[in-house]
Amino acid sequence: MAELRLMKGNEAIAEAAIRCGCDGYFGYPITPQSEVLETLMARMPWDETGMVVLQAESELAAINMVYGGAGCGKKVMTSSSSPGISLKQEGITYIAGAELPCLVVNVVRGGPGLGTIQPAQSDYFQAVKGGGHGDYKLIVLAPASVQEMYDFVDLGFELAFKYRNPAMILSDGVIGQMMEKVQLGDYKPRLTNEEIIKRYGSWATTGKTADRKRNIITSLDLDAGSQEKFNIKLQNKYKEIQDKEVRFEKIACDDAEYLLVAYGSSSRVCQKAIDIARGKGIKVGLLRPITLFPYPSKAIQELLPQLKGILSVEMSAGQMVEDVRLAVNGKVNVEHFGRMGGVIPTPNEVVEALEEKFIKA
Amino acid sequence: MDVKDIIKEENLVYSKSKVLTDNIMHYCPGCTHGVVHKIIAEVIEEMGIQDKTIAVSPVGCSVLAYNYLDIDWQEAAHGRAPAIATAISRLHPEKYVFTYQGDGDLASIGTAEIMHACNRGENITVIFINNAIYGMTGGQMAPTTLEGMKTATTPYGRRVDLNGYPLKITELIAQLPGTCYVTRQSGHTPAAVRKLKKAITKAFENTGKNKGTSFIEVVSTCNSGWKMPPVKANEWMVENMFPFYPLGDMKDE
Ligand SMILES: Cc1ncc(C[n+]2csc(CCOP(=O)(O)OP(=O)(O)O)c2C)c(N)n1
C-alpha cells in the first residue's frame, strides 16, 4: 500500500535515505537544509535499520566521512547548502578521483560568500562543471517537487553505484522548505557486506581476506602517463553517462514556437508562465532538465526546427544558459532571464522577459 | 634466490613479517617511517587481524604506506584521516581501524578532525609520526618544529614571535575524555622499538575491546629535512626533541 504523507523537501530526503537502505549520513547544520539532519536524528534510524547518522564537526569532516564510508562499499550521503558545499569540494574531488559512489545534496541558497538563506540556483557551474580541482564530473539530479526530492535519493544512489561516481541532488531553498504530498516507497533492506561484494564486486575496504589482494582506495598516482590513462577512463565513463542517463521533461512543446528551459523551482514558475503566455496567444513550451549532467542537449536540438527563440530561466546571473547555447550552437537565439541573491522570479516577470527579448524585439 | 637457500631453517632467527609486502620502501635511509611500518606489520601478524584491519594513510611522506602493508587501505586527503576512519569504524564496528599521520597532517591542517575524532572517542588507533618538519614537501616548518630549528620556511630558525610556539598536541589530546590511551614513544634504539611495539599492541587491543581512541605519538627523525646523517639525527633528537616532547604514557585507562 502506497503511503502518502505531507512533508518538507528536506524531510523527504531524510525519509528516503532511511527507506532506500542508506548505511550512513554525515552532515553539518546550515540553513535551509538543517531539517535533513534534524529529521534523521529524530527518526533514530540506527534502531530501525542500523543506519549510522552523525553530526560532523564541519562539512570538511562530513564529506571525508562519506569518503570513508563509500570506500567501505556502503551507501553513504551528506547534505548541505552552498557555503557548506564549497567546503565539501575537497572531499568531492577525492571521491571522484577514487571512483567512489556517494550522494551529496545541495539545497542551494543565494551567494556569493555567506550570501542569503533564500533559494537560488547560482551553484549550477559548481555542480555540473566539476566544482573542485581536476577533470571530473558529478551525476547531477535536479528535483522540482518534494516527491522528486524523495525519489532522487534512491535514483542518485542507483546511478552512483552503477558508475562508481559521486551523484548530487541540486535542489534549492524552495524545494527544501516547501511542503507537498509525497508517496513513500517501501523499505529496502540495507545490504550486508557479503551482498555488497556480490552486487558490486570486491573493490571496497572490507578487510583483506586470504582469497584476494588488498584493496586500496586512493586518488594518487605519481606517474603522469598512468594518471592520464586514468583520466581517459573517467572521460569514457562520463561519455557513457551522457549517452545513457539523460532525463528531462517536456511540457507544451508540441506546437511551441518559443521554449523556456528551466530546472528545479524555476521550472515550477515557468509552468505558470506558460499558462499566462498561452492566454496571450504566445505559443511557448518548457523543457525541464532533470539531469543537469548529463545535460539534455539532444532534446533541445530536436526542437530547434520549430523554434523562434529560447529563454533560459534561472535564479542566477545566467549559468545554465551557457549549456543551452552550447547545445543550440547559434542556430536559434538564446536569451537568459533570472533573478539573483535569493529572489524568486514571478511567472509574469518570465512572460514579460519573453515578450521583451523575442516578441517585441 | 630464496632465504631458505642461503640460511638453513634451523639457523633462521628473524624474518620479515608476512604483513609487510616485498615492495622497496621509498623512505630515506634512517627515516622512522620504515621502523614504525615494520612494527605495525608485526603487531597485525601476531594478533592475527590482517583480515580485520583497515588503515587510513595521510598526505605526507607516508602517503604511499599502502604499498608496504598487505592490508586494506584508504588514502586520505591532507589531515582528514580521522574523519575517514570515523566512518569506517562506525560502519565496520568489528574492524581494527587505524590512522597513520605526520605532524603537518595531524597537528596543522587536520587539527579539527583529530580533536573531534578523539573527543567523540571513535574506536580507532592513531599513530602520529612527529618528525617536527614537513618531510614530503621539502622540509618546511611544522607546527611541532622546535624553537630555533632551521627549516626551509624558517631559514634562520623558528622564532616564536613570528611563527608561534611548537604545538604539544598530544598533551591536548590526553585531556579529551574520548581517549583511553595516550602515549609518546620513539623508535631509535632496540629498547625503544620494543616499547613502541608494546604500545601499538596495547592500542590495537583497546580497539578490540571497543575502548575508544588510542593515540600514540612517535617522536621521529627526518634526516633529509633536518639535513643530518641518520646517527647524528638520532643524537639530535635525543638532545633536543626529548626534553620538549618527553617520552612516556600520558593516559592509560
Ligand atoms: C590540501 C593540501 N595542502 C598541501 C599539500 C602539500 N603537502 C603534502 S605533504 C605535506 C606536509 C606533510 O608533512 P607531515 O604531515 O609532517 O608528514 P611527513 O611528510 O613529514 O611525513 C604538505 C603540506 C597537500 N598535499 N594537500
Side-chain angles (χ1 to χ4, degrees):
Chain A
M1 257 296 281
E3 192 183 337
L4 276 182
R5 203 182 290 174
L6 185 69
M7 59 204 312
K8 272 192 180 190
N10 290 335
E11 293 166 350
I13 294 278
E15 190 63 37
I18 299 169
R19 289 183 184 238
C20 81
C22 177
D23 295 300
Y25 171 93
F26 307 92
Y28 187 83
I30 183 169
T31 309
Q33 67 75 54
S34 296
E35 293 85 357
V36 181
L37 178 58
E38 287 169 7
T39 306
L40 284 168
M41 284 299 185
R43 281 280 266 105
M44 298 196 288
W46 46 90
D47 283 339
E48 199 181 349
T49 69
M51 177 181 173
V52 169
V53 185
L54 187 62
Q55 177 167 341
E57 62 269 31
S58 68
E59 287 88 352
L60 263 179
I63 192 70
N64 280 283
M65 289 171 184
V66 167
Y67 179 104
C72 293
K74 302 283 188 182
K75 252 186 180 179
V76 288
M77 64 180 290
T78 184
S79 66
S80 188
S81 179
S82 310
I85 296 291
S86 290
L87 264 182
K88 287 188 203 288
Q89 293 304 330
E90 178 195 72
I92 293 173
T93 167
Y94 276 73
I95 289 169
E99 292 205 87
L100 298 178
C102 75
L103 181 65
V104 179
V105 182
N106 185 1
V107 182
V108 180
R109 63 190 234 181
L114 205 47
T116 54
I117 57 170
Q118 281 82 11
Q121 295 180 316
S122 40
D123 297 355
Y124 178 90
F125 281 152
Q126 189 195 48
V128 306
K129 308 289 178 192
H133 60 281
D135 275 323
Y136 73 91
K137 282 184 183 297
L138 310 177
I139 297 165
V140 185
L141 300 168
S145 65
V146 178
Q147 182 70 54
E148 285 189 341
M149 283 288 254
Y150 181 91
D151 293 340
F152 290 180
V153 172
D154 196 23
L155 176 64
F157 274 125
E158 198 189 300
L159 294 172
F161 273 86
K162 185 169 171 191
Y163 294 100
R164 270 185 68 181
N165 201 71
M168 175 177 272
I169 293 180
L170 188 71
S171 173
D172 62 61
V174 176
I175 312 283
Q177 291 296 325
M178 74 181 180
M179 292 187 91
E180 282 183 325
K181 180 173 71 176
V182 180
Q183 190 167 330
L184 303 177
D186 292 334
Y187 281 81
K188 280 193 196 173
R190 291 175 53 229
L191 299 182
T192 63
N193 287 340
E194 293 69 38
E195 286 168 336
I196 290 170
I197 292 169
K198 217 172 144 201
R199 190 172 297 190
Y200 304 118
S202 75
W203 52 265
T205 56
T206 50
K208 186 214 163 296
T209 42
D211 57 348
R212 69 156 166 86
K213 287 208 285 193
R214 65 187 183 283
N215 287 336
I216 298 164
I217 304 297
T218 182
S219 60
L220 174 70
D221 194 335
L222 292 174
D223 180 72
S226 62
Q227 183 64 18
E228 185 181 48
K229 269 196 198 127
F230 173 70
N231 267 277
I232 292 168
K233 181 186 162 208
L234 279 186
Q235 293 306 315
N236 289 337
K237 173 166 87 174
Y238 303 146
K239 195 179 168 303
E240 190 187 342
I241 294 171
Q242 180 71 58
D243 289 344
K244 292 186 183 160
E245 304 299 346
V246 174
R247 287 165 170 79
F248 60 89
E249 185 188 14
K250 281 196 289 191
I251 294 171
C253 284
D254 287 351
D255 64 341
E257 295 174 348
Y258 297 95
L259 184 70
L260 303 177
V261 184
Y263 68 95
S265 30
S266 293
S267 72
R268 300 282 291 258
V269 176
C270 286
Q271 282 188 46
K272 183 76 188 157
I274 289 175
D275 293 344
I276 298 169
R278 286 203 171 247
K280 292 182 168 186
I282 308 168
K283 286 184 180 167
V284 57
L286 168 68
L287 188 132
R288 172 171 82 93
I290 292 173
T291 50
L292 297 176
F293 177 78
Y295 197 73
S297 309
K298 247 194 211 142
I300 295 176
Q301 283 156 10
E302 280 163 13
L303 289 170
L304 290 181
Q306 69 190 70
L307 295 179
K308 294 181 183 162
I310 301 178
L311 185 65
S312 175
V313 181
E314 307 167 61
M315 281 140 50
S316 77
Q319 299 191 14
M320 183 184 69
V321 66
E322 293 193 5
D323 283 335
V324 181
R325 287 197 176 120
L326 275 175
V328 171
N329 201 14
K331 289 179 188 129
V332 169
N333 190 15
V334 178
E335 297 287 347
H336 159 77
F337 173 70
R339 299 294 304 264
M340 292 175 281
V343 179
I344 305 165
T346 65
N348 278 322
E349 282 174 344
V350 174
V351 178
E352 277 162 29
L354 186 70
E355 288 176 316
E356 222 159 81
K357 288 175 198 283
F358 296 105
I359 294 152
K360 286 181 197 157
Chain B
M1 207 188 297
D2 200 61
V3 182
K4 286 188 205 110
D5 303 327
I6 311 166
I7 308 169
K8 278 194 202 136
E9 191 84 46
E10 64 265 30
N11 293 335
L12 192 67
V13 289
Y14 175 84
S15 62
K16 180 172 76 68
S17 164
K18 284 193 202 73
V19 175
L20 277 180
T21 65
D22 288 330
N23 293 328
I24 295 167
M25 287 191 184
H26 69 282
Y27 300 116
C28 307
C31 170
T32 314
H33 278 306
V35 177
V36 182
H37 284 19
K38 182 191 95 128
I39 298 172
I40 296 171
E42 287 177 357
V43 170
I44 291 172
E45 185 177 357
E46 284 162 25
M47 288 178 67
I49 54 170
Q50 189 178 11
D51 59 340
K52 295 191 196 73
T53 307
I54 300 173
V56 187
S57 42
V59 167
C61 282
S62 49
V63 68
L64 294 169
Y66 52 73
N67 282 338
Y68 310 127
L69 267 69
D70 191 19
I71 51 173
D72 279 1
W73 285 86
Q74 293 199 22
E75 210 299 296
H78 198 12
R80 318 292 175 229
I84 292 174
T86 293
I88 301 175
S89 157
R90 287 186 182 234
L91 288 157
H92 279 312
E94 73 293 352
K95 295 285 181 337
Y96 293 79
V97 181
F98 74 91
T99 70
Y100 186 103
Q101 304 179 257
D103 44 74
D105 195 73
L106 181 142
S108 189
I109 195 166
T111 318
E113 284 80 6
I114 192 64
M115 282 288 163
H116 287 278
C118 289
N119 196 48
R120 286 190 302 263
E122 296 299 341
N123 191 39
I124 59 172
T125 292
V126 177
I127 297 182
F128 167 39
I129 308 297
N130 177 9
N131 57 13
I133 208 158
Y134 283 17
M136 191 195 207
T137 37
Q140 297 84 2
M141 182 187 72
T144 47
T145 296
L146 298 176
E147 191 178 344
M149 195 172 162
K150 284 184 182 164
T151 71
T153 48
T154 55
Y156 310 108
R158 180 178 189 151
R159 271 169 53 184
V160 294
D161 61 336
L162 192 64
N163 309 112
Y165 298 89
L167 180 58
K168 294 185 180 185
I169 196 155
T170 306
E171 275 80 350
L172 293 176
I173 298 280
Q175 307 302 311
L176 305 175
T179 54
C180 59
Y181 177 48
V182 180
T183 188
R184 186 182 281 129
Q185 301 289 333
S186 69
H188 65 304
T189 62
V193 165
R194 278 196 293 277
K195 275 195 193 166
L196 178 56
K197 189 168 168 182
K198 264 194 195 150
I200 293 176
T201 306
K202 179 182 277 185
F204 279 27
E205 283 171 358
N206 286 341
T207 302
K209 291 178 200 152
N210 212 353
K211 284 179 74 171
T213 314
S214 297
F215 188 100
I216 302 170
E217 173 179 339
V218 186
V219 181
S220 304
T221 57
C222 175
N223 319 102
S224 46
W226 294 4
K227 308 208 185 317
M228 289 176 203
V231 175
K232 180 85 198 309
N234 275 345
E235 287 165 7
W236 194 90
M237 175 175 70
V238 173
E239 278 166 31
N240 299 278
M241 296 276 280
F242 289 180
F244 193 78
Y245 298 114
L247 305 187
D249 290 353
M250 286 175 218
K251 186 182 203 175
D252 186 7
E253 288 171 352

